[in-house]
């Protein structure tokens, strides 16, 4: 029996059991024996209580949480205080600024919660190095980056075939320049925005007719975007696919020439990569985005930066429209041929290996160093 199995580790995702976040955590911890608590989104506070009770009764060696949901986070803060059980948080968002953007009155509370969550944590796994640095600043002892990966990758031949099939299905001419986005179209009432809004608005400003917008996804904002497209984009200028199966996303990306990555230049967007980045690169797509830190870190020739701090503001939309008015299909195709489809940062096996080492070091840090190192490596 492998002695590593004697470690008792609890894992859960605050976005709910069987969701994308839990799948990410399961993948990252694939080499580590973990019991996953079936977190129910509809019963968040009951879940928090049960996790707290588990920590008190079972005294696991470590708890790992994907996400920053307050029910799970408070359970870890209280549980670690009562039991000294260490915990690790994995997150892709700066939760304080994110909540403040949506619900200003709750901003101070969630800034306090985020600071306390990281201060009490032993480790932090950031989806970006910027988030890892934020957690360290707030008091996390250890931190690392696991940026995610494209869940499905097509070969060059598969991409070309999918491009022809999807364009044929939606009646898009081969020489048409297609810019698109993949994501959840969840409408933010306060900002009057969801993914794709900037593309629809920019399309309405274009004089050239050989540009098509392809929006892949569904959500509360889809109907609003369709109404906006009908009023400003003209027939056929904007195409909505609705929700598509996860494994089919690369096929729709193959139909595009450019990918939109609309992130705000502030303490929300500047900290993020989003899972779309690895998928866009894997499909060989040049990316159009604002002047966020990521755009300089990935300063390859397929990265187009435009002006404007927020994708729902007129300056950003005018800049996007100006870019689309001038860029040529030939230039985009040439740049696309040089997009690095496989960056080490988005290599799944490297991230799994790094997380395993990270968890190992945290476990041994909270035990007798010499005996636990020997125990971990023993077979």
């Amino acid at each position: 029996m492998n002695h590593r199995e004697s470690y008792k580790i609890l894992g859960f995702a605050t976005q709910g059991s069987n969701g994308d976040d839990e799948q990410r955590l399961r993948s990252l911890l694939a080499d580590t024996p973990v019991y996953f608590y079936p977190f129910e989104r509809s019963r968040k506070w009951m879940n928090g209580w049960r996790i707290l009770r588990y920590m008190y009764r079972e005294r696991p060696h470590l708890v790992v949480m994907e996400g920053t949901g307050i029910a799970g986070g408070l359970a870890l803060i209280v549980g670690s205080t009562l039991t000294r059980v260490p915990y690790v948080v994995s997150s892709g968002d700066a939760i304080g600024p994110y909540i403040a953007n949506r619900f200003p009155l709750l901003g101070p509370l969630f800034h306090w919660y985020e600071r306390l969550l990281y201060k009490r944590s032993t480790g932090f796994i950031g989806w970006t190095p910027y988030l890892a640095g934020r957690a360290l600043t707030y008091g996390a002892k250890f931190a690392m980056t696991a940026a995610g990966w494209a869940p499905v990758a097509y070969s060059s031949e598969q991409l070309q075939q999918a491009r022809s099939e999807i364009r044929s299905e939606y009646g898009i001419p081969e020489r048409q320049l297609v810019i698109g986005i993949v994501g959840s179209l969840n409408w933010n009432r306060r900002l009057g925005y969801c993914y794709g809004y900037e593309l629809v608005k920019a399309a309405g400003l274009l004089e050239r007719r050989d540009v098509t917008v392809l929006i892949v996804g569904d959500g509360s904002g889809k109907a609003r975007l369709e109404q906006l497209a009908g009023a400003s984009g003209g027939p056929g200028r904007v195409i909505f696919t609705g929700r598509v199966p996860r494994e089919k996303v690369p096929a729709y990306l193959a139909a595009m020439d450019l990918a939109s990555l609309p992130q705000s230049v502030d303490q929300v967007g500047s900290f993020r990569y989003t899972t779309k980045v690895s998928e866009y690169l894997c499909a060989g797509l040049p990316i159009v985005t604002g002047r966020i830190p990521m755009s300089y870190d990935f300063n390859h020739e397929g990265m187009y930066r435009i002006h404007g701090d927020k994708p729902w503001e007129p300056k950003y939309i005018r800049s996007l429209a100006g870019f689309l008015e001038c860029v040529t299909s030939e230039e985009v195709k040439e740049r696309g041929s040089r997009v690095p489809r496989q960056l080490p940062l988005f290599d799944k096996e490297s991230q799994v290996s790094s997380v395993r080492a990270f968890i190992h070091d945290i476990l041994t840090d909270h035990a007798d160093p010499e005996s636990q190192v020997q125990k971990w490596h023993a077979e």
Side-chain angles (χ1 to χ4, degrees):
M1 174 179 171
N2 191 320
H3 290 286
R4 284 176 289 181
E5 295 178 4
S6 61
Y7 282 113
K8 187 184 297 183
I9 304 173
L10 175 68
F12 67 95
T14 59
Q15 286 299 311
S17 183
N18 300 317
D20 289 343
D21 277 9
E22 186 186 86
Q23 185 55 51
R24 166 188 159 87
L25 189 59
R26 284 182 180 273
S27 297
L28 289 175
L29 299 176
D31 291 343
T32 306
V34 179
Y35 163 67
F36 276 87
Y37 173 79
F39 199 96
E40 299 177 60
R41 291 192 66 179
S42 60
R43 306 179 68 186
K44 292 181 179 180
W45 293 107
M46 179 60 71
N47 288 314
W49 165 248
R50 288 174 177 171
I51 289 167
L52 175 59
R53 186 174 60 183
Y54 182 93
M55 293 175 69
Y56 188 80
R57 290 181 176 179
E58 301 295 330
R59 303 297 172 105
H61 294 91
L62 183 68
V63 183
V64 185
M65 178 176 75
E66 180 65 55
T68 50
I70 194 167
L74 288 178
L76 295 188
I77 292 169
V78 175
S80 67
T81 302
L82 295 177
T83 66
R84 296 189 179 277
V85 171
Y87 67 84
V88 169
V89 177
S90 172
S91 177
D93 287 296
I95 187 63
Y98 175 77
I99 295 296
N101 238 2
R102 298 177 66 89
F103 310 103
L105 293 179
L106 296 178
L109 174 63
F110 276 84
H111 274 93
W112 170 82
Y113 163 68
E114 183 182 19
R115 287 176 177 271
L116 184 60
L117 180 67
Y118 297 159
K119 182 178 181 179
R120 290 290 310 172
S121 74
T122 293
F124 180 83
I125 302 173
W127 291 36
T128 71
Y130 326 126
L131 288 167
R134 182 180 180 88
L136 289 171
T137 300
Y138 287 168
K141 184 175 183 181
F142 303 112
M144 64 163 290
T145 301
W149 54 86
V152 182
Y154 279 19
S155 66
S156 297
E157 293 75 17
Q158 289 174 313
L159 287 171
Q160 188 58 48
Q161 180 179 350
R163 178 183 178 88
S164 298
E165 291 175 353
I166 297 298
R167 286 199 171 212
S168 175
E169 178 181 350
Y170 290 96
I172 304 172
E174 178 55 35
R175 295 188 62 82
Q176 193 82 351
L177 181 67
V178 178
I179 181 170
I181 189 170
V182 175
S184 298
L185 310 182
N186 297 320
W187 189 255
N188 185 318
R189 286 185 295 177
R190 178 173 173 267
L191 300 176
Y193 176 79
C194 72
Y195 283 142
Y197 174 87
E198 72 291 341
L199 291 176
V200 174
K201 291 288 286 185
L205 300 177
L206 294 180
E207 294 185 9
R208 64 187 291 188
R209 309 308 301 173
D210 62 338
V211 175
T212 292
V213 169
L214 184 62
I215 298 178
V216 182
D218 202 356
S220 58
K222 181 171 177 285
R224 294 175 182 268
L225 293 186
E226 288 174 329
Q227 184 179 17
L228 183 62
S232 62
R237 174 57 67 90
V238 183
I239 296 173
F240 297 88
T241 69
R243 189 182 306 276
V244 303
R246 183 72 167 171
E247 64 274 11
K248 290 285 292 180
V249 167
Y252 288 83
L253 294 178
M256 303 176 189
D257 300 295
L258 291 164
S260 176
L261 189 70
Q263 292 184 200
S264 52
V265 183
D266 58 17
Q267 288 197 359
V268 178
S270 292
F271 279 104
R272 305 183 73 223
Y273 281 167
T274 84
T275 55
K276 290 189 285 291
V277 178
S278 59
E279 295 178 284
Y280 288 166
L281 295 178
C282 198
L285 288 175
I287 295 173
V288 182
T289 190
R291 299 182 177 187
I292 55 176
M294 182 213 72
S295 72
Y296 298 97
D297 288 350
F298 300 167
N299 192 28
H300 57 75
E301 294 181 85
M303 187 71 69
Y304 291 99
R305 284 183 291 271
I306 59 177
H307 296 278
D309 291 343
K310 295 176 174 60
W312 52 87
E313 293 181 346
K315 183 177 181 179
Y316 187 102
I317 292 166
R318 288 196 303 268
S319 180
L320 176 58
F323 164 76
L324 291 174
E325 196 72 66
C326 298
V327 72
T328 66
S329 297
E330 291 73 19
E331 178 191 347
V332 171
K333 183 177 180 180
E334 198 277 330
R335 287 207 180 196
S337 68
R338 289 182 280 165
V339 169
R341 293 182 58 184
Q342 296 293 336
L343 288 177
L345 181 66
F346 297 115
D347 179 71
K348 178 180 178 180
E349 296 308 316
S350 295
Q351 293 175 67
V352 172
S353 177
S354 295
V355 169
R356 179 189 178 279
F358 186 68
I359 297 300
H360 153 248
D361 289 343
I362 287 175
L363 288 169
T364 55
D365 188 68
H366 281 78
D368 175 65
E370 183 175 352
S371 64
Q372 291 299 326
V373 169
Q374 293 172 355
K375 179 179 179 182
W376 180 268
H377 290 288
E379 296 292 334

